[in-house]
Amino acid sequence: MKFIADRMLGKLVKELRMLGYDTVYYRGENTYELIKLAREGGRVILTRSTKLLPKRPEDRIIRVTEEKPSLQLRELIQKGYLSLKEETFFSRCLLCNILLDAIPREEAEGIVPDFIFYQQKHFSRCPQCSRIYWQGSHPENMKKKIDELWESTKTQAPNHK
Ligand SMILES: [Zn+2]
């Protein structure tokens, strides 16, 4: 499932990318354009707006009811829209929404801080913005949150969908 999220959902966009979901962030205010982009990309629209309604059968819209950004990801998981796959976590650039390429460790030398270079074995790079990622390069609070969500879905009884 691929998403396009409206301008109200910036935090959710980064969290979805962190989970590995292809998520476009639409910062504009033109709902016609939003729907058009969703159709073109085969994306599900995420919005907080109650006014945005499907206009064609192929339009898929998920309304995020949770007001607090910190609870929105949990809402999507609890409603069964997301399936968490550990192997896709941290596979995508948070800024560009592009899959990262693994790079030889030597290529990170001199670019990442020395102590990181000596601590880490695996590095990857965004083909678009060239930002280098490593395990632990994502903000600690976001990682912690995903770990918690991951644990809670594993211990839950099978979800009705
Ligand atoms: Zn990037």
Side-chain angles (χ1 to χ4, degrees):
M1 193 135 86
K2 295 188 292 179
F3 298 104
I4 182 166
D6 75 10
R7 56 201 293 274
M8 304 285 288
L9 297 170
K11 185 177 163 75
L12 184 61
V13 167
K14 280 199 172 173
E15 290 175 338
L16 285 168
R17 287 175 182 169
M18 187 170 292
L19 293 179
Y21 279 96
D22 180 341
T23 308
V24 167
Y25 186 23
Y26 179 70
R27 291 178 181 81
E29 293 183 52
N30 182 336
T31 51
Y32 174 78
E33 190 181 25
L34 174 64
I35 289 177
K36 184 167 164 279
L37 288 170
R39 283 175 189 160
E40 284 169 1
R43 295 178 184 277
V44 177
I45 296 175
L46 295 168
T47 183
R48 289 219 63 237
S49 165
T50 52
K51 291 178 199 139
L52 191 61
L53 298 168
K55 293 182 175 63
R56 288 194 206 161
E58 71 263 33
D59 294 340
R60 286 172 300 165
I61 298 175
I62 295 174
R63 194 161 76 82
V64 177
T65 54
E66 190 57 66
E67 197 176 334
K68 286 194 186 134
S70 59
L71 298 175
Q72 288 166 346
L73 187 66
R74 183 173 296 261
E75 179 189 343
L76 293 184
I77 291 171
Q78 282 171 348
K79 289 183 175 170
Y81 293 122
L82 305 177
S83 50
L84 301 187
K85 294 188 209 78
E86 207 168 8
E87 64 271 20
T88 66
F89 291 178
F90 312 117
S91 61
R92 201 170 278 279
C93 180
L94 299 188
L95 305 175
C96 309
N97 189 39
I98 287 181
L99 287 173
L100 304 173
D101 293 330
I103 56 168
R105 186 169 176 266
E106 309 83 72
E107 289 189 24
E109 190 171 13
I111 300 175
V112 302
D114 280 350
F115 74 98
I116 295 289
F117 181 75
Y118 291 111
Q119 266 173 12
Q120 301 292 324
K121 289 196 180 71
H122 304 286
F123 294 92
S124 50
R125 182 169 51 208
C126 171
Q128 184 156 306
C129 71
S130 299
R131 189 174 167 194
I132 294 195
Y133 288 85
W134 58 92
Q135 205 179 7
S137 63
H138 292 83
E140 196 57 41
N141 56 345
M142 286 171 90
K143 275 196 310 166
K144 196 165 149 253
K145 175 171 179 171
I146 285 170
D147 286 346
E148 283 167 13
L149 289 167
W150 176 239
E151 286 306 315
S152 69
T153 52
K154 275 198 296 193
T155 52
Q156 263 170 16
N159 230 332
H160 59 278
K161 289 214 170 149

